Amino acid sequence: IEADRLARIAHIEDKIKESQAKVDLNKLEMEIAAKEAAKERALERELTIELVKKDRSNSTDCKTKSKNRQQTSKLKEMQQKAAMLCQHVSSEYLPTHTLYQPPKWCSKCNIKIVSEAVLMAHMIKRHQKTNQDEAEVEGQYIVDYTDELCPMAQDVINRQKMLRKRSKKVKTRIVHKVAELPAIKLLEA
């Protein structure tokens, strides 16, 4: 009887060892699978971050191109308007839409003038009514633009810089949260 009991105990111990080996093997396989899944999530996260960066760079390129197109079209429109308003100017001379470097400033009207077309339109619209001698007006009021001429402009520029910084911070936060979302969803599943 004792030998039979010892044989059963040995048999049970062998089964326990086999099941423990199976459990250890399953744990090892689970750990390997978890590491592989983590690597895949990291790769997916990097890919999404790269895609977001590419999209952002493409959108900024498109925005700058469209902004440049809008500026040139506005300047061309101003040139045409200035030419139409300039009836006393000869037809061979049309104001150009080349930008002044540095821009001009009308100290009487507190207006920044960026090109010859804008200057011509400004002189005709604003100063022709007040003073008939354009050369005198141009000599008196039109000067090179500096930041000291318009202190309010510097405040506006500083405010815009602060807003850009804030929006950049918010955008980076959003990008980081979006990058974390797929990882969170995979962990929940």
Side-chain angles (χ1 to χ4, degrees):
I1 297 175
E2 187 64 29
D4 192 33
R5 188 178 72 80
L6 288 175
R8 276 191 251 145
I9 290 174
H11 181 67
I12 291 172
E13 286 176 352
D14 288 341
K15 283 187 177 181
I16 290 172
K17 286 180 183 177
E18 286 176 12
S19 64
Q20 187 66 29
K22 285 181 183 178
V23 168
D24 291 341
L25 185 63
N26 283 342
K27 281 184 181 178
L28 185 61
E29 288 175 355
M30 297 269 288
E31 287 176 2
I32 291 171
K35 286 180 182 178
E36 289 176 1
K39 285 180 183 178
E40 289 177 13
R41 285 193 303 266
L43 285 173
E44 287 178 8
R45 209 175 301 133
E46 289 175 9
L47 289 174
T48 54
I49 289 172
E50 287 177 19
L51 288 174
V52 167
K53 286 180 181 178
K54 285 180 184 177
D55 288 343
R56 189 181 305 149
S57 66
N58 288 341
S59 66
T60 55
D61 289 344
C62 292
K63 286 179 185 176
T64 55
K65 287 178 184 177
S66 65
K67 193 173 185 179
N68 289 340
R69 273 190 249 122
Q70 288 175 351
Q71 286 177 343
T72 54
S73 65
K74 280 183 182 179
L75 288 173
K76 285 180 182 179
E77 288 176 14
M78 289 181 160
Q79 179 184 14
Q80 291 171 354
K81 285 180 183 178
M84 294 168 90
L85 292 172
C86 289
Q87 295 171 355
H88 61 280
V89 176
S90 65
S91 61
E92 67 251 6
Y93 174 74
L94 292 175
T96 61
H97 61 276
T98 55
L99 299 175
Y100 282 143
Q101 287 299 330
K104 305 291 181 190
W105 179 260
C106 179
S107 58
K108 184 176 183 181
C109 304
N110 291 330
I111 294 177
K112 187 176 179 180
I113 300 168
V114 294
S115 72
E116 190 177 355
V118 176
L119 174 67
M120 188 71 77
H122 174 74
M123 294 302 291
I124 291 169
K125 285 182 182 177
R126 307 286 179 168
H127 295 286
Q128 195 172 30
K129 296 175 186 173
T130 59
N131 196 342
Q132 296 299 326
D133 190 9
E134 292 177 17
E136 180 184 330
V137 172
E138 185 175 348
Q140 279 183 329
Y141 299 114
I142 306 300
V143 294
D144 286 341
Y145 176 80
T146 59
D147 292 336
E148 297 151 4
L149 291 174
C150 186
M152 289 176 53
Q154 192 63 32
D155 292 339
V156 170
I157 291 169
N158 291 338
R159 219 174 305 132
Q160 288 174 346
K161 284 181 184 177
M162 287 177 22
L163 288 174
R164 275 191 222 113
K165 285 182 183 178
R166 278 190 211 146
S167 65
K168 192 174 183 181
K169 286 181 183 178
V170 169
K171 286 177 186 175
T172 55
R173 279 190 217 143
I174 290 171
V175 166
H176 289 296
K177 296 223 178 193
V178 167
E180 292 173 0
L181 282 179
I184 292 170
K185 288 181 181 176
L186 287 175
L187 290 175
E188 289 175 356

